[in-house]
């Protein structure tokens, strides 16, 4: 293949298909028909001597050659776009609607500061919250159901850290740690929390799926211990209400205790075993990476960490052990 004879329009189609991982969505993004997109990819395959994209039940899967080629193609197209159409974005005059997915406690932690900023800086920006009922939000991003997901996605973040060719981008916003949470007059509130009395208690687990097994159970299994999960709920607010009015105990990220709305009725204790840190990650799709409005939102969330912690009431609940 000679670069001089290569139709550079094919690279633009290639970039769209790699971004969407789906020929139909790529065609819609490019304002082309699907047969035209398929034909363009066929021509690029012939020019490069590689299959590039393999059809699957869920769209297309890039070959190793396509994965190695895409970063250079995307970088080159981004440079050309910046040169031809320099970015201009006036947030005060912008009109945009963002669809975001977060768990209830995460939304309570981040949204107040975000809303104050939007009211003051971007009156034309709207936010639509979508329920987050999974630790795997990538399908929602791939389908275009949401523009951004914020939450604890340990499996996704770990996979994206070494995976190449994925159209999903991610960034860490915050890191914290887990604590044991119980009502203020709980029988365990006045004694040391040991591994034995922790395992002997009845437990509540916040589980989006309803599955009665989580990170704590994996950690306990490693030391040949287990606990009884009497109740699973799918909202942190519900968890706070139940624990504040029962003898159940639960494990929550410390920074999210205030989001239960029951800070005055709860105390937190350090766990008698080790758990990994809890990380709050932001995920978005490559299709939005160069959008000025989307960039503004991401930059704003990046800078909100200290603001959210400083302004959230009760972020540091009273504790017998802190």
């Amino acid at each position: 293949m000679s670069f001089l004879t290569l139709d550079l329009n094919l690279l633009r189609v290639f970039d769209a298909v790699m971004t969407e991982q789906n020929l139909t969505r790529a065609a819609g993004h490019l304002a082309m028909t699907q047969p035209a997109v398929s034909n363009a990819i066929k021509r690029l395959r012939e020019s490069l001597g590689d299959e590039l994209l393999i059809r699957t039940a869920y769209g297309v899967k890039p070959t190793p050659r396509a994965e190695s080629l895409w970063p250079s193609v995307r970088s080159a197209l981004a440079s050309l776009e910046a040169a031809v159409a320099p970015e201009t974005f006036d947030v005060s005059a912008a009109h945009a609607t963002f669809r975001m997915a977060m768990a209830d406690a995460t939304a309570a932690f981040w949204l107040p500061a975000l809303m104050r900023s939007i009211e003051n800086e971007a009156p034309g920006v709207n936010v639509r919250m979508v329920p987050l009922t999974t630790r795997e939000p990538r399908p929602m991003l791939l389908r275009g159901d949401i523009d951004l997901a914020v939450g604890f996605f340990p499996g996704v973040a770990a996979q994206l850290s070494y995976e190449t060719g994925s159209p999903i981008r991610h960034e860490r916003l915050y890191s914290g740690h887990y604590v044991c949470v119980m009502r203020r007059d709980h029988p365990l509130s006045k004694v040391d929390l040991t591994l034995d009395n922790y395992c002997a208690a009845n437990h509540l687990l916040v589980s989006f799926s309803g599955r009665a097994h989580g990170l704590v159970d994996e950690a306990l299994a490693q030391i040949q211990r287990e606990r009884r999960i009497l109740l699973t709920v799918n909202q942190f607010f519900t968890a706070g209400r139940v624990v504040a009015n029962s003898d159940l105990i639960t494990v929550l990220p410390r920074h999210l205790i205030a989001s239960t709305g029951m800070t005055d009725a709860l105390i937190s204790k350090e766990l008698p075993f080790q758990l990994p840190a809890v990380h709050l990650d932001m995920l978005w799709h490559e299709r939005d990476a160069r959008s000025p409005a989307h960039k503004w939102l991401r930059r704003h969330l990046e800078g909100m960490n200290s603001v959210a912690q400083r302004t959230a009431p009760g972020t540091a609940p009273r504790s017998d052990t802190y």
Side-chain angles (χ1 to χ4, degrees):
M1 182 206 70
S2 170
F3 181 76
L4 294 176
T5 61
L6 178 66
D7 183 351
L8 298 183
N9 286 318
L10 303 181
L11 297 180
R12 187 165 162 266
V13 175
F14 170 73
D15 175 58
V17 175
M18 287 292 289
T19 297
E20 297 294 345
Q21 304 279 290
N22 182 282
L23 294 179
T24 300
R25 289 197 296 266
H29 176 74
L30 295 166
M32 297 171 62
T33 64
Q34 183 174 329
V37 169
S38 297
N39 182 61
I41 294 299
K42 178 182 177 182
R43 290 171 57 199
L44 188 60
R45 284 171 174 156
E46 294 171 349
S47 296
L48 299 180
D50 188 272
E51 280 297 302
L52 296 178
L53 299 158
I54 301 170
R55 289 185 180 272
T56 70
Y58 303 100
V60 291
K61 178 183 178 181
T63 65
R65 169 70 169 143
E67 290 181 349
S68 65
L69 179 64
W70 188 34
S72 297
V73 170
R74 169 142 289 273
S75 176
L77 290 174
S79 296
L80 286 172
E81 182 178 4
V84 173
E87 179 180 311
T88 58
F89 182 65
D90 181 1
V91 66
S92 64
H95 291 273
T97 296
F98 296 111
R99 294 159 298 167
M100 302 171 64
M102 301 182 195
D104 65 312
T106 304
F109 182 66
W110 286 94
L111 288 185
L114 178 61
M115 291 304 101
R116 282 191 294 272
S117 297
I118 287 178
E119 287 179 324
N120 294 331
E121 303 172 24
V125 169
N126 304 309
V127 175
R128 302 290 180 258
M129 296 304 300
V130 176
L132 182 64
T133 58
T134 175
R135 296 291 186 195
E136 175 50 283
R138 284 180 290 184
M140 300 170 71
L141 291 164
L142 288 170
R143 291 192 303 267
D145 295 340
I146 58 174
D147 303 302
L148 197 74
V150 177
F152 180 44
F153 313 119
V156 176
Q159 186 175 356
L160 290 176
S161 65
Y162 64 82
E163 184 180 74
T164 60
S166 172
I168 304 302
R169 300 290 174 259
H170 79 293
E171 181 176 336
R172 183 141 298 159
L173 294 176
Y174 179 86
S175 292
H177 72 283
Y178 289 103
V179 291
C180 179
V181 178
M182 63 191 72
R183 63 181 172 86
R184 184 156 294 280
D185 55 349
H186 193 282
L188 294 179
S189 65
K190 304 303 180 183
V191 300
D192 290 338
L193 186 63
T194 66
L195 186 60
D196 286 338
N197 58 29
Y198 175 85
C199 292
N202 287 326
H203 294 257
L204 176 150
L205 171 66
V206 179
S207 170
F208 293 155
S209 67
R211 179 170 174 260
H213 188 86
L215 189 68
V216 169
D217 303 286
E218 294 174 4
L220 290 174
Q222 292 179 1
I223 53 177
Q224 287 78 52
R225 300 298 295 264
E226 61 182 15
R227 60 177 178 164
R228 182 200 176 196
I229 297 176
L230 192 153
L231 174 68
T232 67
V233 299
N234 59 10
Q235 290 185 327
F236 290 89
F237 175 79
T238 303
R241 298 285 294 186
V242 172
V243 170
N245 292 280
S246 72
D247 278 343
L248 272 67
I249 64 175
T250 191
V251 172
L252 298 176
R254 186 178 187 274
H255 65 279
L256 295 185
I257 296 176
S259 303
T260 67
M262 301 297 295
T263 304
D264 291 340
L266 302 172
I267 67 165
S268 58
K269 286 179 171 284
E270 296 287 354
L271 290 163
F273 53 90
Q274 294 295 316
L275 279 183
V278 54
H279 302 297
L280 200 65
D281 289 316
M282 172 172 61
L283 304 182
W284 68 96
H285 196 285
E286 177 66 29
R287 74 170 72 91
D288 296 314
R290 290 178 287 183
S291 162
H294 204 281
K295 284 182 179 179
W296 174 85
L297 177 64
R298 298 197 306 271
R299 284 196 296 264
H300 210 74
L301 288 172
E302 291 166 6
M304 277 176 48
N305 185 11
S306 60
V307 175
Q309 293 184 77
R310 186 172 64 250
T311 59
T315 298
R318 289 173 292 173
S319 168
D320 288 349
T321 56
Y322 291 146

